[in-house]
Amino acid sequence: VQLVESGGGLVQAGDSLRISCVASGRSFSKYAMGWFRQIPGKEREFVASISGVSGIADYSESVKGRFTISRDNAKNTLYLQMNSLKPEDTAMYYCVALLYYADQDVSVNLADFGSWGQGTQVTVSS
């Protein structure tokens, strides 16, 4: 599967932004999907995931209540709605996909075995 992210940009603290990820290929609905982010010089960080079969979402504590992950299987598209953005949300955001049927351990398996997009930069000014 090939992934192309879009929608990043420069926003102010408190603003909202939605980033998208379009996946190529078939059987998109069977893929577990997720978002990770990374700042240069730091480890990549899990942001959110959504399982393929049940659509169960999971979030990191740092974004829970502010970010929402969703998917449109008819459009082969994954979204991340980001509200109440903070300067510490500034990072390169990566979309990840993995053909994975379980609802458990989604983020770990995405990180270790998933296919990654090229990323979209989100910058939040204070």
Side-chain angles (χ1 to χ4, degrees), residues 15-82:
D15 284 352
S16 298
L17 191 67
R18 188 178 78 165
I19 57 178
S20 303
C21 170
V22 177
S24 64
R26 300 178 179 179
S27 303
F28 175 78
S29 62
K30 298 179 181 178
Y31 279 79
M33 303 291 296
W35 292 98
F36 288 73
R37 64 188 183 188
Q38 190 169 25
I39 301 170
K42 292 193 175 183
E43 295 288 320
R44 68 188 175 191
E45 176 189 14
F46 166 72
V47 176
S49 66
I50 185 165
S51 64
V53 176
S54 303
I56 295 175
D58 187 26
Y59 300 91
S60 69
E61 287 300 319
S62 62
V63 307
K64 194 173 292 184
R66 300 188 298 123
F67 291 10
T68 302
I69 189 171
S70 62
R71 63 193 300 162
D72 185 336
N73 291 334
K75 295 182 179 180
N76 279 22
T77 302
L78 177 74
Y79 302 101
L80 185 68
Q81 177 68 44
M82 303 181 288

Side-chain angles (χ1 to χ4, degrees), residues 96-119:
V96 190
L98 179 67
L99 194 59
Y100 183 74
Y101 297 104
D103 292 326
Q104 297 79 28
D105 301 321
V106 174
S107 61
V108 172
N109 281 277
L110 281 171
D112 289 347
F113 306 111
S115 298
W116 294 72
Q118 84 290 349

